Amino acid sequence: MASTTIAAPITSQQFREHWQGHRALTRRVIDAFPEDKLFSYSLGGMRPFSALAMEFIGMAVPTLNGIITGEWAQYAEAKATTKADLLKQWDHTTAEIDRLWPQITDARFQEVDTAFGQWKMPIYGLLLYLQDNEIHHRGQGYVYLRALGIEPPPFWER
Amino acid sequence: MASTTIAAPITSQQFREHWQGHRALTRRVIDAFPEDKLFSYSLGGMRPFSALAMEFIGMAVPTLNGIITGEWAQYAEAKATTKADLLKQWDHTTAEIDRLWPQITDARFQEVDTAFGQWKMPIYGLLLYLQDNEIHHRGQGYVYLRALGIEPPPFWER
């Protein structure tokens, strides 16, 4: 059988690695917060960074499960009250993403589905949304750290 | 000739549309700032939002030109002193991105190049970097707006 190579702008594996690179950076941002500030500090009436990190954890695996099965269970925010517990849940999610992602077929990325019965969009758009939402709120975390006088981890290191 | 359809996780056009969707949101964030705050307000010793927007403008077209030609001219921050001028330059960049992007071949996305003689990475990674950098710093702009008591435009609208 003749093999055909078609260049995709981004492959599935590169897409996953890009997300995991960002998630590694978000982990360093979580870790850069002093324990108490992680759960209490905010600006402009926004949420503390722990709440944002728990949102990321709460969305990741339920979204991948929905993409793979087509069944959209309720997603729920993670709950953690210490930095150590939050990081442990973060690392569990990291491993789950690596396990689940290869189960997404290339064709599935282009299918349109209604995630959690609410958000109708192509699967690639949903996955980009998870990543973009994390980058967006992590940018908020950078301001919190700077305002606390803490040097955040470099943005370009993944 | 038999036609073969290979599903790419994201097509080139979807990649461009994703960026332009984010850029439309960034434009609304620029516009949400009062004129004086756009050029002066900051938190934690960071740059005002106008400087961030000028960075985005300064990177976009020079990067696309480098990707297309393989020649990396110096990139330069845009210069604007009024919101109207900044938005005019923003819109010019929007049109230039739409004009230049289709000149990037599918194979080119996977090539590794050293952008501006400094950043060695695959072209798709460089393009993601531009988008991620914009989302990251725009998240900073959201905190500025909230701290100023201004409701930012919804993140999920593009």
Side-chain angles (χ1 to χ4, degrees), chain A residues 22-32 87-88 90-91 94 134 138:
Chain A
H22 273 297
R23 293 187 70 264
L25 174 57
T26 305
R27 192 189 195 283
R28 288 196 289 276
V29 171
I30 296 169
D31 208 19
L87 291 175
K88 190 180 160 191
W90 192 264
D91 294 340
T94 303
E134 181 169 334
R138 192 183 56 210

Side-chain angles (χ1 to χ4, degrees), chain B residues 16-30:
Chain B
R16 176 180 58 79
E17 285 168 355
H18 183 71
W19 189 17
Q20 293 283 39
H22 273 297
R23 294 187 70 263
L25 174 57
T26 305
R27 193 189 194 282
R28 288 196 287 277
V29 171
I30 296 169

Side-chain angles (χ1 to χ4, degrees), chain A residues 6-10 12 14 18 22 44 46 106-107 109-110 124 128-129 132-133 135-136 139-140 142-143 146 155, chain B residues 6-10 12 14 18 22 44 46 106 109-110 124 128-129 132-133 135-136 139-140 142-143 146 155:
Chain A
I6 305 279
I10 313 170
S12 173
Q14 288 163 346
H18 182 71
H22 273 297
M46 302 173 98
D106 277 358
F109 285 95
Q110 291 291 329
Y124 79 85
L128 283 172
Y129 187 85
D132 296 347
N133 184 59
I135 300 168
H136 170 71
Q140 183 178 334
Y142 271 66
V143 188
R146 289 274 183 205
F155 174 67
Chain B
I6 305 278
I10 313 171
S12 173
Q14 289 163 347
H18 183 71
H22 273 297
M46 302 174 99
D106 277 358
F109 285 95
Q110 290 291 329
Y124 79 84
L128 283 172
Y129 188 86
D132 295 347
N133 184 59
I135 299 167
H136 170 71
Q140 185 178 333
Y142 271 66
V143 188
R146 289 272 183 206
F155 174 68

Side-chain angles (χ1 to χ4, degrees), chain B residues 8-140:
Chain B
I10 313 171
T11 67
S12 173
Q13 185 183 329
Q14 289 163 347
F15 198 169
R16 176 180 58 79
E17 285 168 355
H18 183 71
W19 189 17
Q20 293 283 39
H22 273 297
R23 294 187 70 263
L25 174 57
T26 305
R27 193 189 194 282
R28 288 196 287 277
V29 171
I30 296 169
D31 208 20
F33 276 88
E35 178 96 26
D36 62 327
K37 302 297 184 198
L38 180 61
F39 290 90
S40 65
Y41 186 78
S42 82
L43 287 168
M46 302 174 99
R47 291 172 286 172
F49 198 67
S50 58
L52 304 175
M54 287 189 267
E55 178 186 292
F56 308 152
I57 293 172
M59 289 171 78
V61 170
T63 300
L64 289 178
N65 279 327
I67 289 170
I68 292 161
T69 64
E71 288 168 29
W72 298 94
Q74 192 61 39
Y75 69 94
E77 255 180 40
K79 296 209 190 307
T81 53
T82 65
K83 190 202 279 189
D85 186 26
L86 186 55
L87 290 175
K88 190 179 159 190
Q89 292 185 44
W90 192 266
D91 294 339
H92 177 70
T93 297
T94 303
E96 281 293 281
I97 291 170
D98 280 343
R99 186 179 71 81
L100 291 166
W101 187 285
Q103 299 177 39
I104 309 171
T105 62
D106 277 358
R108 180 65 172 146
F109 285 95
Q110 290 291 329
E111 289 175 11
V112 173
D113 205 340
T114 307
F116 304 107
Q118 290 184 73
W119 299 290
K120 188 176 179 179
M121 63 180 89
I123 297 300
Y124 79 84
L126 182 62
L127 290 166
L128 283 172
Y129 188 86
L130 291 189
Q131 302 183 26
D132 295 347
N133 184 59
E134 181 169 333
I135 299 167
H136 170 71
H137 283 306
R138 192 183 55 211
Q140 185 178 333

